[in-house]
Amino acid sequence: MATPRGPSSSLSPHAAANGDAQADWWVASDPREALTGRAVAEDHVLGVGGASTMLASITLRTPVGRVLDLGTGCGIQALHASLHAGEVVATDISQRALAYARLTHALSVPDARWDLREGSLLEPVEGEAFDLIVSNPPFVITPPGAPRFEYRDGGLEGDEVVGTLVREVGAHLNPGGVAQFLGNWEIRGAWTERLEQWLSESPVPLDAWVIQRDALDAAEYAETWLRDAGITPERDAARFRAAYEQYLRAFDAAGIEAIGFGAVLLRRPMHGSPTLKRLEEHEGQAPDAARPAPGREPRRT
Ligand SMILES: C[S@@+](CC[C@H](N)C(=O)[O-])C[C@H]1O[C@@H](n2cnc3c(N)ncnc32)[C@H](O)[C@@H]1O
């Protein structure tokens, strides 16, 4: 049963800069669990978080025509894209998320061209191509039986959301187009093997640059994502323990040694064959391009 939701939504200020363009936005979402003090509902719509700002900070910001924001949620990636794109197509499987994204658009960038579409992964853009695809997708690996949440579980087994994107996104890129997304991947042996496999299965040969920023063992991963949803031993010890054990058992049974977290950049070559394949580990601080320029601090409420 879904956890009862409080009456309020959340409006957060968010500032950004891209070259000379400065922006102050309002982002609409559900309130985070730290504010409500309880576990989030299954259909929770995430506000701007660390992963959102990290992706925004590493996304290439050259002027482009069409951008796809896959899994738009509150609309934060689409907002950033509006600073350098002619048109943004923003998709989500959740009608609640799309309603929040619509509100974010109305409050923050009413004149920007946003086309909001409901559907799973690349289904809503079948046959279409983009200059830039950005996604902070529902990449969390949740074992069967453990609590699932729309904002982070894409409805596929294991790390298949990220696998699907690596394999299929190339067909939706214009020549020279770039896809940038975050992800988790299962690690058995060398972490690069899974990424290499997915890349080899893309029918469109792609330049690839993958950075693994972190790797967690099963226990760390379970605790991270249970707490992220507000499922804590302090609030509900029995629920936390049961879910925690599901993670440990399932990962052990699947031979998963660790779970990698990182960023993927794929580019469809303008001409000819790919020239870049770089898979590396880098645990340093990501640049914070989402940080406002001096004198443009976000409004506080
Ligand atoms: C981690 S949130 C990211 C939200 C926002 N783009 C950001 O950067 O913070 C992932 C989003 O993907 C959506 N989603 C979940 N499953 C999906 C699917 N199969 N296809 C498309 N979107 C999905 C969720 O509803 C959620 O809004």
Side-chain angles (χ1 to χ4, degrees), residues 44-49 51-52 55 69-77 91-94 97 119-121 136-139 150-155:
H44 179 75
V45 177
L46 204 62
V48 179
S52 327
L55 177 63
D69 173 17
L70 192 158
T72 192
C74 61
I76 181 63
Q77 308 304 331
T91 66
D92 207 289
I93 205 165
S94 155
S120 183
L121 297 179
N136 173 14
F139 57 70
E150 213 160 27
Y151 72 90
R152 67 189 209 193
D153 293 297

